[in-house]
């Protein structure tokens, strides 16, 4: 395993646009500010970290998200943290953000043989999401750029406490993001939030897929018929996931001209986890 500081991908670029220079003090973490997002190589049979940030004091912040249904994979978290410490000599602090009603803030501890592992739990469910939504909505509607606190709030807004369930909140937040006037800022949030959601909860992926089909973003993609742009987007996302694509998969995507099929692939590509799944999707190979 290595921490990879190679040239940033387009997704990493959007993460850095939002998080670079931010402090997590707003959610109760007194840490150095974020320097950049970090890409971590996958360790076989262990779940990749959700988010890993290099901080300005050259330590790493490992972030996971849980709720009442999503339980923390502490063994995977430990494996990645220890690999970074042993191979890179970097200090790692691991934090779990909770948006469930049953888990409280504090710590989660587990013993793995002689190794004692503990992580801090930050309770996002205790934050007033409806108040935060109204505050950010007013700021975006006025055409002003978001400040540091508001940027962090917008990223985690779907996970804060609301009077309506998560599957109703998420489309509202995505529609709020669509109102951002600055094109690069809007694109960054429309990229980063779905990326976090897709790594967190299947329910969120289903909601995002439905939102995309009925949103102006999805309609613009359809109406403009930018097949080449869709093919390029699919390729970029897949190459970021797998680094190299089999020739038959690459050719199947490059030669596809059906807009409906390309749209379907674009919606599903973020949740593809293996080359076999990819083959089944684009060329129906078992």
């Amino acid at each position: 395993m290595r921490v990879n500081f190679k040239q940033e991908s387009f997704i990493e670029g959007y993460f850095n646009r939002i998080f670079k220079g931010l402090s997590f003090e707003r959610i109760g973490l007194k840490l150095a500010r974020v320097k950049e997002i970090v890409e971590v190589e996958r360790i076989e049979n262990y779940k990749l970290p959700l988010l890993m940030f290099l901080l300005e004091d050259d330590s790493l912040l490992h972030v996971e998200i849980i709720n009442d249904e999503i339980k923390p994979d502490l063994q995977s978290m430990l494996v990645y943290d220890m690999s970074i410490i042993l191979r890179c000599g970097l200090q790692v602090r691991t934090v779990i953000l909770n948006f469930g009603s049953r888990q409280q803030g504090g710590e989660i501890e587990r013993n793995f043989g002689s190794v004692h592992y503990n992580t801090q739990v930050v309770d996002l469910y205790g934050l007033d999401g409806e108040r935060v939504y109204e505050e950010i909505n007013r700021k975006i509607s006025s055409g002003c750029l978001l400040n540091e606190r508001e940027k962090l709030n917008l990223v985690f807004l779907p996970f804060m406490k609301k009077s309506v369930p998560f599957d109703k909140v998420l489309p509202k937040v995505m529609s709020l993001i669509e109102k951002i006037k600055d094109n690069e800022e809007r694109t960054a949030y429309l990229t980063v939030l779905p990326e976090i959601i897709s790594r967190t909860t299947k329910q969120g992926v289903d909601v995002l897929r439905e939102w995309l089909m009925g949103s102006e973003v999805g309609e613009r993609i359809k109406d403009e018929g930018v097949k080449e742009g869709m093919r390029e987007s699919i390729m970029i996302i897949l190459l970021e996931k797998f680094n190299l694509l089999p020739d038959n998969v690459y050719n199947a995507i490059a030669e596809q001209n059906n807009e409906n099929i390309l749209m379907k692939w674009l919606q599903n590509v973020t949740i593809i986890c293996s080359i076999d799944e990819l083959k089944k999707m684009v060329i129906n190979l078992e």
Side-chain angles (χ1 to χ4, degrees), residues 30-42:
K30 294 185 177 180
L31 303 170
R33 293 178 182 274
V34 174
K35 183 184 288 186
E36 62 180 331
I37 193 80
V38 172
E39 177 186 351
V40 181
E41 285 190 343
R42 180 182 292 276

Side-chain angles (χ1 to χ4, degrees), residues 37-201:
I37 193 80
V38 172
E39 177 186 351
V40 181
E41 285 190 343
R42 180 182 292 276
I43 300 175
E44 188 175 0
N45 298 324
Y46 291 97
K47 180 185 174 185
L48 271 168
L50 175 65
L51 296 171
M52 192 79 76
F53 296 105
L54 178 66
L55 305 182
E56 290 182 348
D57 62 0
D58 290 326
S59 66
L60 287 178
L61 173 63
H62 176 180
V63 178
E64 300 288 341
I65 294 179
I66 64 170
N67 65 6
D68 294 335
E69 286 72 44
I70 304 166
K71 304 304 178 186
D73 187 345
L74 293 178
Q75 185 168 351
S76 289
M77 292 160 58
L78 171 63
V79 167
Y80 279 99
D81 290 354
M82 290 302 298
S83 296
I84 291 169
I85 292 168
L86 294 173
R87 298 196 179 196
C88 305
L90 297 174
Q91 179 184 355
V92 182
R93 178 170 181 177
T94 304
V95 172
I96 296 173
L97 306 180
N98 167 59
F99 70 106
S101 59
R102 291 197 291 268
Q103 175 70 47
Q104 300 296 316
E107 293 187 344
I108 296 178
E109 301 183 0
R110 181 75 57 81
N111 291 321
F112 297 94
S114 61
V115 178
H116 180 73
Y117 186 64
N118 71 296
T119 63
Q120 182 178 352
V121 179
V122 175
D123 186 18
L124 292 182
Y125 189 78
L127 300 176
D128 187 346
E130 292 179 350
R131 181 186 61 78
V132 171
Y133 177 91
E134 292 302 325
E135 177 184 287
I136 295 176
N137 186 32
R138 286 194 298 269
K139 190 71 171 283
I140 290 175
S141 297
S142 71
C144 298
L145 293 176
L146 302 179
N147 62 29
E148 175 182 305
R149 176 176 57 83
E150 292 160 344
K151 281 187 172 185
L152 192 64
N153 279 345
L154 182 53
V155 171
F156 296 120
L157 181 55
F159 306 109
M160 295 179 186
K161 185 176 182 179
K162 316 282 192 317
S163 60
V164 294
F166 178 76
D167 62 340
K168 304 297 183 185
V169 170
L170 184 53
K172 284 187 64 177
V173 175
M174 296 302 294
S175 296
L176 177 62
I177 291 171
E178 276 201 288
K179 293 165 58 178
I180 296 175
K181 290 182 170 60
D182 183 275
N183 183 59
E184 282 297 313
E185 193 83 350
R186 182 174 64 253
T187 302
Y189 281 103
L190 287 174
T191 302
V192 166
L193 188 53
E195 185 69 17
I196 292 175
I197 295 295
S198 69
R199 301 177 189 181
T200 306
T201 163

